[in-house]
Amino acid sequence: FSVNGHLMGQEFTADEAARTGRSITVRAAGTADILRAIIVRNGEDVHTCAGDGRLLEFVWEDKAPLVDVTTGEGWAYYYVRLV
């Protein structure tokens, strides 16, 4: 899982490109079939991708302007939930 090339757990300051869109890359392998992957931004589900087996890879572009999705503290966080 990465956001604009930054791996899960990394913090980074958004450059101009990240302010207008973020590229989220997901690569997952399960011990059982993956039914779906859900991208969560600031605690809200924002994108779902259906699974098809034990491996799942996709890229999603979050085109929401960063100013519209940041928290009151001025930051945003993402994670992926696998089901």
Side-chain angles (χ1 to χ4, degrees):
F1 170 74
S2 66
V3 177
N4 287 6
H6 298 275
L7 297 176
M8 181 175 61
Q10 288 184 311
E11 292 183 15
F12 65 97
T13 301
D15 59 14
E16 188 59 36
R19 288 187 184 100
T20 57
R22 277 106 14 240
S23 179
I24 289 94
T25 303
V26 176
R27 291 187 183 105
T31 56
D33 286 351
I34 299 170
L35 300 176
R36 64 187 171 279
I38 303 156
I39 296 177
V40 179
R41 177 184 63 216
N42 297 340
E44 294 184 27
D45 297 356
V46 292
H47 182 74
T48 300
C49 181
D52 183 27
R54 292 182 179 194
L55 299 176
L56 180 62
E57 292 187 30
F58 67 95
V59 176
W60 178 65
E61 299 291 330
D62 185 353
K63 296 187 184 295
L66 195 56
V67 68
D68 293 342
V69 300
T70 54
T71 66
E73 293 81 21
W75 47 266
Y77 67 90
Y78 292 84
Y79 64 89
V80 175
R81 182 183 322 118
L82 298 177
V83 179

